Amino acid sequence: MSTNPIPQTQAGERKKITVQTLRQMKESGQPIAMLTAYDYPTALALDQAGIDAILVGDSLGMVVLGYANTLPVTMEDMLHHCRAVARGARYALLIGDMPFMSYQVSVSEAVRNAGRFLQEASMDAVKLEGGRERLEAIRAIVSAGIPVMGHLGLTPQSVHQLGGFRPQGRLAAEAQHLVQDALSLQEAGCFALVLEAVPAQLAELITQRLEIPTIGIGAGPYCDGQVLVTHDLLGLFDRFTPRFVKQYAQLRRQMIEAFRAYKEDVERRAFPTDEHSLFMAEEEWQRLQEWMSDAFSE
Ligand code: KIV
């Protein structure tokens, strides 16, 4: 009997990944591959590549909308991009990232906003940042039937409080705090946990202690899964590339080359050619010519 936890029909066709699938993957030691997407074609490609989970991250504020950080991203921005992703992905687990101020103000607002991701944007789950200070909101969202992914370590929505995008948990006291937060998030009902920019030993320790899967980004190789911002992986983001990113392509360079080649072709009239044009049938063209001479003769 196969021990592969990735769901398949009897005919061997892929089935939709659920939060339970991720749990089974942890239990059977199968690494989870997650990436971000913000639009339809990327979601389609990730799904075709067999990526297990797609996060519509609020990183879209930086890599798609050009903001300096994720703080200006709104619920409406998130829902708009989530809808596009949901149209492209059929199999991957879809997770919508709750933006800054959508879950911090009150528990009832947090539940209402989490619900909008499922009800209005076809997401399967939500993610939110923070530890013990978020437990009440997480419990309420989970008890509304909405799966929640936690996010600890470098939590970009707290960039000003953290003093920049810097690694977390390097000191024993900080690490201890993170271990306690991770256990509390599990206890509050999170189905998985993102660990961002924390030492590899700490991520390993948390991963071993938790029953729910950990998904690392800049957290070393011992998490149950990994996530990257797709624009970083593809070499599409211009401002900086964090040390923990592995670039699998340099698409920005390829895009610039393609745009330059197009400009040159337009300037030297090498595009479009007959191959890219459509023509009237000869008799229709003749008719038009005749009409022109009648209509415009002096
Ligand atoms: O917004 C995002 O893309 C994220 C990932 C970096 C985990 O939160």
Side-chain angles (χ1 to χ4, degrees), residues 87-151:
R87 282 179 215 119
R90 202 166 134 205
Y91 301 107
L93 179 74
L94 300 181
I95 304 153
D97 209 2
M98 297 194 70
F100 183 55
M101 283 297 116
S102 68
Y103 55 95
Q104 292 91 340
V105 177
S106 71
V107 169
S108 60
E109 257 189 68
V111 176
R112 167 73 53 216
N113 283 323
R116 293 188 70 194
F117 279 90
L118 275 64
Q119 199 165 41
E120 298 175 36
S122 306
M123 293 289 104
D124 303 314
V126 297
K127 175 172 87 59
L128 57 83
E129 298 180 6
R132 59 201 68 184
E133 68 286 4
R134 297 290 155 242
L135 295 181
E136 215 192 326
I138 292 170
R139 281 197 196 100
I141 298 171
V142 171
S143 57
I146 302 165
V148 178
M149 174 178 266
H151 184 159

Side-chain angles (χ1 to χ4, degrees), residues 36 38 55 57-59 97 127 129 151 194 196 217 227 229:
T36 64
Y38 318 100
L55 171 68
D58 65 351
S59 50
D97 209 2
K127 175 172 87 59
E129 298 180 6
H151 184 159
V194 168
E196 180 164 354
I217 171 163
V227 59
V229 170

Side-chain angles (χ1 to χ4, degrees), residues 153-164:
L154 169 51
T155 44
Q157 290 175 17
S158 310
V159 59
H160 297 308
Q161 203 168 41
L162 301 176

Side-chain angles (χ1 to χ4, degrees), residues 260-271:
R260 280 204 184 116
Y262 163 76
K263 181 174 189 288
E264 270 170 38
D265 274 2
V266 169
E267 285 170 355
R268 60 191 178 92
R269 299 195 185 283
F271 174 83

